[in-house]
Amino acid sequence: MDHSTSLLRLIFLALGAALVLLVLRSAFHLPRGIDTPTTSLFDAAAAAGSSCTRFAPWGCRKGDRTKPKPKPPSHETDVPRHPLDPLTVSEINRAREILRAHPPFASSPSSLFVHSLALDEPEKAVVLGWRRGVDPLPPRRAVAVVRFRGEAFVLAVDLAGGAVTPLPVPASGYPTMTMDEQVSLCFAPFADPAFNATIRRRGVRLSDVACLPISLGWYGPTEENRRLIKVQCFSAEGTANFYMRPIEGLTVLVDMDTAEVIHISDRGAGIPIPAAANTDYRYARHMQEEGDPASNGFQKVRAPSMEPAPSGPGVELVDGHTVRWGGWELHLKADARAGMVVSRARVQDPRTGAHREVLYKGMASELFVPYMDPSEAWYFKTYMDAGEYGFGLQAMPLVPLNDCPRHARYLDGVFVAADGRPYVRENMICVFERYAGDVAWRHSESPITGMDIRESRPKVTLVARMVASVANYDYIMDWEFQMDGLIRIKVGLSGILMVKGTAYSHLNQARDNEDMHGTLLSENVIGVIHDHFVTFRLDMDVDGANNSFVRVDMARQETSPGESPRRSYLKATRRVARTEKEAQVRLKLYEPAEFHVVNPTKKTRVGNPVGYKVVPAGTAATLLDPEDPPQKRGAFTNNQIWVTPYNKTEEWAGGLFVYQSKGEDTLASWADRFVSLYLLDFYSIQLMDYYCI
């Protein structure tokens, strides 16, 4: 047999083997490498709605076993089932139609920008009197904050009748920024040739530049009658953590309405951009580089068990917003400004089975973050994260199994874009039952008594969680409810520092006693000193709306001569606040006190008024001059506790309009009215708003 015949047979055998391989691959779906580039056929199939996507590890064909990615919820068919339920998608669309048809907006609907659109909650008496399954919902109304041709409007919108009623507009300031303009302002400087030239002079490629819009506060008449913002930029070359690579000293002043660059300040020409090495925070990136010096110090962690109890989750979610657990019942919803709102929190009396009122409404009212650097590129950084950026608008979808355990229940947020159209923020809030290994109550008897008792009960709690990623910082907000009736609010801070670039790579380069306004953290990086003041508004309704604020002062009492071998003891003196001024509290370490919210019309079996003790978690106090412009706007941090008469319109500690406000409409200005809280001889019977930092 000649060589040509052998070669021909070999070719036929190879072709046959290839054909068999193709048949087997089609029949048994042999796996493809996940990283193998897919052909246009697979991309086209994915685009056509097939279950196979370009990231699928299996061949693409009809009947493929790969589960399709679930579509995000539309919420288009949602209907309100509770008086406090947030606006639904259809209600937002209805409000948009009404607003766009309302004069003068109807003349140019495209010039109408919606900054907020939320439920106009019914009066408290109406909500308290409503019975699920018996009474119809109260009329649904919305409150809209809009801007039209440079002018701001606050409007009440009747969703059924279509009536639009104007509401008072603050004397100064502008509404919360929309997400649309926050995103667009990041790119505004790139349209300016002078800015691009400045970036090139710094040796940074424009394609590597990431910019942030930074609220500029208020510092005088030159910043009035015009919505302004300052933009600062970073180099994202070589890392996802661009916050660690500031282009220091470069600040761009931008007109928010026109996107025009008004002024460029560049005072950091001699400051290098910090290196990208060791700055990437992504876990996967560090694991890829394991063994490399860049991964040193990054520890592997074992994920905790997130399995629910054998009996299943104990959290019941009714009609999308009512949570029931362990004797608690509460209403929970997402809010564009506050983030998460807890309402109608009631706890079951174990003796009677009846639910007793505790908290009518609780939420984060403002987050004040002043940085302590007076230099040109930093002095204005005195953020009001809720009123300027929207704490809820910045909330990102929670990560299952990491942010929340396996058995968590999730709630979405439905918010409004600048054009008035609704959009959904998925998995914004999670609710779950938690056991962290803590002890709720225990007691053991010693052998002295002869009773062998070891009584211990685990602490199992209900947690409602939300996380807001406000640029570099992530605020982890937990409302925790315990079976003994206790409510605990926790704020965790994670994410990344906002740092300042410096020419120093070691402290020995700094002058003696030089004020760097922070700490040298790494080569060319300073962590600037700053504060985070989180202010909560708590509308307490302990066993009803008739509540009083009681301060219990604890002081040393000297004994009388011959009274006792003791010379002193601690004495508690109770004082009921008669005015708002008396209810302003500044915590002092050596003047301890307790703070009670009581209902004097409801008594325990031994005659004491029922109530709750409010315990501030810390002694955060501002050290800024009261006349400093940022402190005027943040004057609600002058005290740790404020108590004011209930007023539905006074919810935001920094005022309704915070952006570029002068600080006339804040919690501090309301409390200067010296309004009486005292109505009876001893206890005040008054609805109260309780603000606690």
Side-chain angles (χ1 to χ4, degrees):
M1 185 170 53
D2 57 18
H3 292 289
S4 61
T5 303
S6 299
L7 181 60
L8 188 59
R9 287 181 177 180
L10 185 60
I11 293 173
F12 277 118
L13 285 173
L15 290 174
L19 182 60
V20 170
L21 182 60
L22 287 172
V23 171
L24 289 174
R25 181 184 180 89
S26 175
F28 295 105
H29 306 291
L30 294 179
R32 297 163 46 85
I34 293 178
D35 295 326
T36 303
T38 56
T39 66
S40 59
L41 173 64
F42 294 143
D43 290 331
S50 168
S51 61
C52 177
T53 71
R54 64 182 301 269
F55 299 105
W58 297 90
C60 186
R61 60 178 292 173
K62 188 175 180 179
D64 185 79
R65 292 171 292 178
T66 304
K67 292 183 179 180
K69 183 179 179 181
K71 293 182 179 180
S74 67
H75 292 278
E76 292 181 0
T77 60
D78 287 357
V79 294
R81 302 179 185 276
H82 188 283
L84 298 177
D85 279 358
L87 295 179
T88 64
V89 168
S90 59
E91 288 177 326
I92 292 172
N93 286 326
R94 169 65 175 155
R96 180 176 184 267
E97 293 173 0
I98 295 172
L99 289 171
R100 290 169 67 88
H102 179 71
F105 313 144
S107 62
S108 179
S110 61
S111 301
L112 179 68
F113 297 98
V114 180
H115 288 257
S116 72
L117 183 66
L119 175 72
D120 183 5
E121 295 183 355
E123 294 299 326
K124 183 186 287 192
V126 175
V127 176
L128 293 174
W130 179 81
R131 295 169 297 170
R132 184 188 302 272
V134 177
D135 300 324
L137 286 180
R140 300 279 287 178
R141 297 184 177 90
V143 173
V145 176
V146 303
R147 295 184 73 249
F148 181 73
R149 293 175 175 170
E151 184 178 357
F153 299 82
V154 183
L155 305 165
V157 182
D158 185 337
L159 297 177
V164 178
T165 306
L167 299 175
V169 177
S172 72
Y174 296 103
T176 305
M177 289 186 286
T178 68
M179 281 301 299
D180 304 70
E181 60 190 4
Q182 289 182 48
V183 173
S184 64
L185 287 167
C186 294
F187 302 97
F190 294 93
D192 186 79
F195 169 80
N196 294 338
T198 301
I199 292 294
R200 294 190 187 96
R201 283 197 299 271
R202 289 293 196 97
V204 181
R205 294 178 301 185
L206 289 171
S207 59
D208 291 330
V209 176
C211 298
L212 293 178
I214 300 174
S215 56
L216 74 169
W218 180 85
Y219 291 91
T222 57
E223 297 171 353
E224 295 177 1
N225 304 316
R226 195 174 188 179
R227 291 175 75 226
L228 301 172
I229 198 161
K230 291 185 176 181
V231 178
Q232 292 186 332
C233 302
F234 308 79
S235 172
E237 181 184 10
T239 180
N241 188 2
F242 60 85
Y243 300 102
M244 289 294 105
R245 307 199 68 207
I247 305 175
E248 189 56 50
L250 177 60
T251 306
V252 185
L253 183 65
V254 178
D255 185 303
M256 294 177 66
D257 293 323
T258 65
E260 172 193 359
V261 173
I262 298 171
H263 178 70
I264 299 175
S265 173
D266 187 3
R267 301 191 177 187
I271 301 175
I273 296 173
N278 303 324
T279 63
D280 203 311
Y281 51 79
R282 291 173 293 179
Y283 183 84
R285 178 60 58 87
H286 283 273
M287 292 303 97
Q288 290 172 1
E289 299 173 354
E290 188 175 8
D292 190 83
S295 64
N296 288 343
F298 196 94
Q299 302 295 331
K300 289 184 177 180
V301 294
R302 182 177 63 86
S305 174
M306 293 292 185
E307 293 295 334
S311 59
V315 180
E316 184 182 3
L317 189 59
V318 181
D319 294 337
H321 293 281
T322 298
V323 179
R324 292 174 181 162
W325 171 88
W328 280 100
E329 180 175 293
L330 55 101
H331 187 273
L332 193 62
K333 66 181 177 183
D335 182 84
R337 181 164 175 173
M340 179 168 56
V341 177
V342 176
S343 302
R344 294 299 315 277
R346 305 185 297 160
V347 67
Q348 191 174 36
D349 189 317
R351 292 178 299 173
T352 66
H355 278 91
R356 302 173 65 178
E357 301 284 344
V358 176
L359 175 75
Y360 182 77
K361 187 175 183 179
M363 63 182 189
S365 182
E366 191 53 80
L367 295 92
F368 180 40
V369 188
Y371 281 75
M372 304 304 172
D373 187 331
S375 63
E376 174 70 19
W378 282 82
Y379 76 89
F380 56 89
K381 294 181 181 179
T382 54
Y383 307 96
M384 300 276 196
D385 284 340
E388 293 176 335
Y389 292 90
F391 200 48
L393 293 180
Q394 309 299 323
M396 296 291 106
L398 296 166
V399 180
L401 303 185
N402 288 348
D403 282 328
C404 311
R406 187 182 305 278
H407 57 277
R409 308 292 296 274
Y410 292 86
L411 288 80
D412 299 334
V414 179
F415 298 145
V416 184
D419 63 359
R421 300 180 190 274
Y423 67 92
V424 176
R425 180 76 76 203
E426 293 181 70
N427 293 355
M428 179 177 160
I429 298 172
C430 72
V431 188
F432 57 93
E433 190 177 62
R434 175 165 65 188
Y435 171 59
D438 297 327
V439 176
W441 182 92
R442 80 173 316 279
H443 179 67
S444 296
E445 283 296 337
S446 69
I448 298 174
T449 64
M451 294 183 291
D452 186 16
I453 298 176
R454 305 290 184 269
E455 185 73 15
S456 181
R457 301 168 195 170
K459 178 183 286 188
V460 183
T461 61
L462 171 74
V463 178
R465 173 173 294 166
M466 175 219 102
V467 178
S469 299
V470 189
N472 56 306
Y473 273 121
D474 289 54
Y475 294 92
I476 305 162
M477 192 76 68
D478 282 3
W479 283 72
E480 187 175 38
F481 299 83
Q482 297 184 187
M483 288 187 176
D484 58 4
L486 186 146
I487 303 175
R488 188 187 305 273
I489 307 172
K490 298 179 180 178
V491 181
L493 194 60
S494 186
I496 302 161
L497 286 173
M498 181 69 73
V499 301
K500 178 179 181 178
T502 177
Y504 301 147
S505 58
H506 194 279
L507 275 178
N508 59 17
Q509 296 173 301
R511 300 186 302 274
D512 290 342
N513 301 319
E514 179 180 356
D515 188 355
M516 295 191 294
H517 310 295
T519 302
L520 188 68
L521 303 178
S522 183
E523 292 84 356
N524 309 118
V525 171
I526 292 174
V528 178
I529 297 169
H530 62 287
D531 281 321
H532 292 260
F533 296 98
V534 186
T535 301
F536 288 90
R537 175 183 182 258
L538 306 176
D539 179 7
M540 302 294 294
D541 274 7
V542 180
D543 257 349
N546 299 326
N547 287 184
S548 300
F549 178 72
V550 181
R551 175 173 179 144
V552 183
D553 290 308
M554 290 171 282
R556 184 175 64 198
Q557 180 73 27
E558 307 290 344
T559 59
S560 302
E563 178 185 359
S564 170
R566 292 275 298 272
R567 297 191 59 174
S568 63
Y569 61 96
L570 183 151
K571 182 178 181 180
T573 304
R574 303 173 75 252
R575 294 184 175 87
V576 180
R578 297 167 180 258
T579 66
E580 289 184 86
K581 194 68 176 178
E582 290 182 5
Q584 296 176 14
V585 175
R586 290 190 183 185
L587 299 177
K588 299 179 181 179
L589 181 62
Y590 287 100
E591 295 181 16
E594 288 188 353
F595 311 101
H596 300 172
V597 177
V598 303
N599 188 330
T601 66
K602 303 289 179 67
K603 301 295 177 66
T604 69
R605 68 177 184 271
V606 297
N608 291 316
V610 301
Y612 265 72
K613 180 169 72 173
V614 182
V615 183
T619 55
T622 179
L623 298 178
L624 296 179
D625 188 302
E627 295 303 312
D628 195 355
Q631 190 57 32
K632 282 187 174 183
R633 300 175 68 235
F636 49 87
T637 63
N638 290 339
N639 298 310
Q640 284 81 29
I641 295 174
W642 307 75
V643 183
T644 68
Y646 173 78
N647 187 325
K648 178 183 171 183
T649 65
E650 294 178 350
E651 291 192 323
W652 309 110
L656 179 61
F657 286 5
V658 174
Y659 199 92
Q660 286 182 250
S661 73
K662 301 178 186 178
E664 313 102 324
D665 178 32
T666 69
L667 171 58
S669 65
W670 311 336
D672 280 341
R673 298 166 301 190
F674 294 94
V675 174
S676 173
L677 293 174
Y678 183 76
L679 297 182
L680 294 184
D681 290 341
F682 186 68
Y683 287 106
S684 64
I685 309 300
Q686 180 76 12
L687 306 177
M688 289 196 303
D689 281 346
Y690 184 99
Y691 293 82
C692 185
I693 298 174

